[in-house]
Amino acid sequence: MVSDGTLTPEELASRAKANGVELWSLTDHDEIGGQRRAAQAARAQGLKYITGTEISVTFANTTVHIVGLGFDDEDPRMLQGLHDTRGGRGKRAMEMSDDLARVGIHGAYEGALKFVGNPELISRTHFARHLVESGVCKDTSEVFRKYLTEGKPGFVPHRWATLRDAVTWITQTGGVAVVAHPGRYNFTPNEEFALFSEFKAHGGQGVEVVTGSHTPQEYLKYADAAREFSLAASCGSDFHSPDESRVDLGSLPRLPADLTPVWELVPDRIR
Ligand code: AMP
Ligand code: MN
């Protein structure tokens, strides 16, 4: 509702509950406007809740996502930081549209806007939904394969928050910072080492090990990274929509038993 998922917080909470989730977090991109509603929806379902967001960061010329869990969602430092990083999205979207027009796809900005719930948060996912609806591609994964990703028409490089800023916003407001789906960045071993080292130096404490964006081999690889870098482990579905997501809420395997789950680092933040 406030970023690029298609279900409401109430629908998500009841889906999570029905699927056996014990502790849930709504992690909108660069936005926490849905937190209060999500916490209330969780309470109505008898589901434990922890605040969440997924902050876009530029690191080594790549967009990296940093998940924050358990922060204070009313803290002005978090609200201001996220407001500032959302600021560039409108201009980027117009440039994406211009780029698509150069390959004969016209009116993509206006088309994407029809799918946008929060005017400050137009994302590539909204363009993808428009390109599917208008028949350019058969599904959103084809859109990302042919457009909107590095080297393809419609991709506009963008400078998001710094790694230091994102980790600081999360930790200074009482939360724990987590590197989201590291398997998705195609980093070299050196780049990945730099990411985990700098992340830890800024106060980051967790890595997503089991996620809808990882293969089972990547579960093992990033469980090893968690051990090597002494990071706690997180688990996230990356669920956006019943039609678009490979993995449903509550359907991922458990974290390896020897790793510390990130939420155990912030027990007082669980509601
Ligand atoms: P943005 O924040 O505008 O760059 O858009 C990020 C969104 O694009 C996230 O919700 C991702 O899940 C989605 N996304 C990025 N790459 C892909 C991909 N290859 N297939 C499907 N969705 C993707
Ligand atoms: Mn998303």
Side-chain angles (χ1 to χ4, degrees):
M1 303 292 287
V2 298
S3 69
D4 64 352
T6 61
L7 301 185
T8 63
E10 292 76 22
E11 288 167 329
L12 288 167
S14 81
R15 192 179 184 100
K17 181 73 181 179
N19 289 357
V21 170
E22 292 160 34
L23 170 65
W24 173 54
S25 182
L26 175 71
T27 55
D28 278 301
H29 292 281
D30 304 316
E31 173 64 274
I32 55 175
Q35 291 304 307
R36 179 164 295 214
R37 234 176 106 181
Q40 279 165 359
R43 195 171 319 122
Q45 294 287 342
L47 189 62
K48 285 191 282 182
Y49 189 78
I50 186 164
T51 54
T53 185
E54 184 175 10
I55 305 178
S56 312
V57 157
T58 301
F59 182 85
N61 295 315
T62 303
T63 302
V64 167
H65 290 163
I66 301 297
V67 165
L69 297 172
F71 52 84
D72 172 359
D73 63 327
E74 291 178 359
D75 191 300
R77 294 168 295 185
M78 175 64 94
L79 290 164
Q80 185 67 44
L82 294 180
H83 175 78
D84 292 346
T85 75
R86 287 194 298 269
R89 282 187 179 266
K91 180 162 169 279
R92 168 196 186 227
M94 285 182 237
E95 290 170 10
M96 287 167 63
S97 187
D98 292 345
D99 207 34
L100 288 168
R102 282 190 272 277
V103 295
I105 299 168
H106 296 279
Y109 177 71
E110 293 71 20
L113 271 188
K114 286 187 288 163
F115 293 89
V116 171
N118 172 358
E120 276 193 15
L121 215 134
I122 181 164
S123 94
R124 284 183 290 162
T125 313
H126 303 119
F127 279 83
R129 290 185 186 137
H130 165 65
L131 294 185
V132 172
E133 189 205 49
S134 58
V136 174
C137 292
K138 69 175 189 332
D139 58 30
T140 53
S141 76
E142 184 186 345
V143 178
F144 280 97
R145 213 163 51 242
K146 294 188 175 164
Y147 306 97
L148 313 185
T149 40
E150 178 108 47
K152 304 288 166 61
F155 179 77
V156 174
H158 191 76
R159 192 152 283 282
W160 302 108
T162 64
L163 184 62
R164 176 198 296 272
D165 282 347
V167 173
T168 304
W169 299 334
I170 295 163
T171 54
Q172 74 184 355
T173 59
V176 55
V178 179
V179 175
H181 44 61
R184 235 168 69 179
Y185 308 128
N186 300 318
F187 278 148
T188 63
N190 276 345
E191 287 167 334
E192 202 166 82
F193 183 86
L195 172 64
F196 289 130
S197 310
E198 290 185 34
F199 172 74
K200 278 199 70 154
H202 296 316
Q205 292 181 285
V207 56
E208 223 174 28
V209 169
V210 174
T211 138
S213 298
H214 280 173
T215 62
Q217 294 92 301
E218 286 169 331
Y219 301 163
L220 301 177
K221 174 173 177 192
Y222 291 104
D224 277 341
R227 294 178 190 112
E228 182 185 344
F229 289 91
S230 301
L231 290 165
S234 192
C235 173
S237 63
D238 213 348
F239 179 80
H240 283 69
S241 152
D243 303 326
E244 294 168 13
S245 296
R246 213 161 40 83
V247 165
D248 201 347
L249 294 171
S251 66
L252 287 169
R254 291 197 174 258
L255 291 169
D258 65 304
L259 299 178
T260 303
V262 280
W263 48 90
E264 289 186 4
L265 301 181
V266 283
D268 299 347
R269 313 296 302 179
I270 297 173
R271 295 288 178 257

